[in-house]
Amino acid sequence: MAKILDGTVALITGASSGIGEATARALAAQGAAVAVVARRKERLDQLASDIAQQGGRALVLETDVTDQAQAQAAVERTVSELGRLDTVVNNAGVMLLGPAVGAPLEDWERMVSLNVDGLLYITHAVLPHLLKAAQDSPRQVADLINISSVAGRIARSGSNVYNLTKFGVAALSESLRQELAGRHVRVASVEPGAVATELGSHLRPEAQKSLAQRFANLEMLKAEDIADAIQYIVTRPRHVAINEILVRPTQQEG
Ligand SMILES: NC(=O)c1ccc[n+]([C@@H]2O[C@H](COP(=O)([O-])OP(=O)(O)OC[C@H]3O[C@@H](n4cnc5c(N)ncnc54)[C@H](OP(=O)(O)O)[C@@H]3O)[C@@H](O)[C@H]2O)c1
């Protein structure tokens, strides 16, 4: 049976766990060939093997997207090995929360390096391919989806530089949306609330404790809930652009 994304190619960064992994599975299930990008190759190999077992196609690209040459090479390999590029999900990110006073500067640098620089390196490399896909693909539309956060809309004490990076992702998305709208490249910003993934595992113990307290009595989202929103965006007809989706767990207030 024909699937809606048959013949298309999607690149997903941060596909070795959490939202990126769930998104790769979801888009592959809709017929897209997926290029899965992250540093942990064993995780990507397992994902690719699962996708192949379901009859799909996945290209594993062991890549550190904070390295511009590696990011560009991942995009070039996607196009040379899978033939084209229709959908890009800029998802790789890190969240190192905690008070600004006394924060290790290294934490701030890591967030800017991945959430901003890594996203920009991928974006810069994919734009010509997305523009081409919007012209010559059967669907005549292409998608760039940037994963921001509730933290890209609401600043909180202790979120400081994470807020900076995610507000930036939302602003960049809107600017690119306006620039590319007339050429049928849709740009969307996805803003998850609390999702049960490995994201919190990189926090220092004190910050982990305070995050756990904040979400103690709350049923968190699953990575698949966000993948579902991304799949919805990508599978709309050519004339429909979902520009922004904010998805919180039902019980999350702020
Ligand atoms: N979980 C939440 O509550 C939540 C809420 C709002 C927004 N978000 C956003 O959602 C996105 C995905 O996070 P997640 O929750 O799914 O967390 P996750 O499970 O920790 O996933 C992060 C992904 O980023 C990849 N990554 C880290 N450094 C990388 C690098 N230098 N190069 C390439 N890939 C790299 C990781 O893979 P490797 O380590 O294998 O490289 C991993 O696949 C992030 O942008 C995050 O800010 C999450």
Side-chain angles (χ1 to χ4, degrees):
M1 203 171 61
K3 295 175 181 164
I4 193 163
L5 298 180
D6 276 348
T8 71
V9 173
L11 179 149
I12 300 117
T13 68
S16 59
S17 60
I19 294 168
E21 178 186 341
T23 301
R25 291 182 195 278
L27 298 185
Q30 294 297 331
V34 291
V36 290
V37 174
R39 296 166 304 174
R40 287 172 294 175
K41 184 169 182 304
E42 329 74 60
R43 296 276 202 110
L44 296 178
D45 285 339
Q46 181 60 54
L47 171 64
S49 138
D50 291 352
I51 288 172
Q53 266 183 6
Q54 303 289 320
R57 182 166 182 208
L59 173 66
V60 169
L61 295 169
E62 180 185 358
T63 304
D64 180 343
V65 298
T66 67
D67 179 316
Q68 191 270 333
Q70 287 189 41
Q72 190 177 338
V75 173
E76 281 167 10
R77 272 196 64 197
T78 302
V79 176
S80 68
E81 295 188 33
L82 298 178
R84 51 183 304 103
L85 187 50
D86 303 88
T87 305
V88 173
V89 185
N90 266 321
N91 164 75
V94 65
M95 175 187 74
L96 303 170
L97 305 177
V101 177
L105 200 53
E106 190 215 337
D107 283 4
W108 292 5
E109 287 166 348
R110 272 181 67 197
M111 286 189 280
V112 172
S113 166
L114 181 58
N115 303 2
V116 178
D117 293 345
L119 181 140
L120 290 179
Y121 297 149
I122 292 288
T123 301
H124 190 266
V126 299
L127 286 178
H129 301 293
L130 293 180
L131 284 164
K132 183 169 181 298
Q135 279 188 340
D136 70 9
S137 73
R139 301 187 74 224
Q140 297 219 300
V141 70
D143 286 285
L144 175 63
I145 297 172
N146 294 326
I147 308 302
S148 176
S149 170
V150 167
R153 283 186 158 224
I154 301 167
R156 295 173 61 91
S157 174
S159 284
N160 44 66
V161 178
Y162 188 62
N163 283 140
L164 165 74
T165 64
K166 293 302 187 179
F167 270 72
V169 168
L172 175 74
S173 303
E174 173 57 15
S175 172
L176 291 177
R177 185 194 71 72
Q178 292 176 24
E179 180 178 336
L180 301 173
R183 286 181 278 177
H184 284 94
V185 176
R186 302 182 292 205
V187 182
S189 169
V190 173
E191 300 152 348
V195 189
T197 68
E198 297 173 18
L199 194 69
S201 68
H202 309 292
L203 290 169
R204 275 159 225 292
E206 328 80 74
Q208 245 181 56
K209 205 169 138 198
S210 103
L211 193 69
Q213 277 167 355
R214 190 175 150 211
F215 296 132
N217 298 312
L218 175 152
E219 186 183 352
M220 289 171 78
L221 296 170
K222 298 180 179 66
E224 290 74 17
D225 298 321
I226 304 302
D228 196 28
I230 293 168
Q231 178 182 311
Y232 179 75
I233 293 171
V234 176
T235 53
R236 288 315 85 204
R238 182 179 191 243
H239 68 288
V240 180
I242 309 296
N243 303 144
E244 192 177 0
I245 296 191
L246 170 63
V247 188
R248 285 190 180 90
T250 302
Q251 297 160 291
Q252 182 175 340
E253 289 177 14

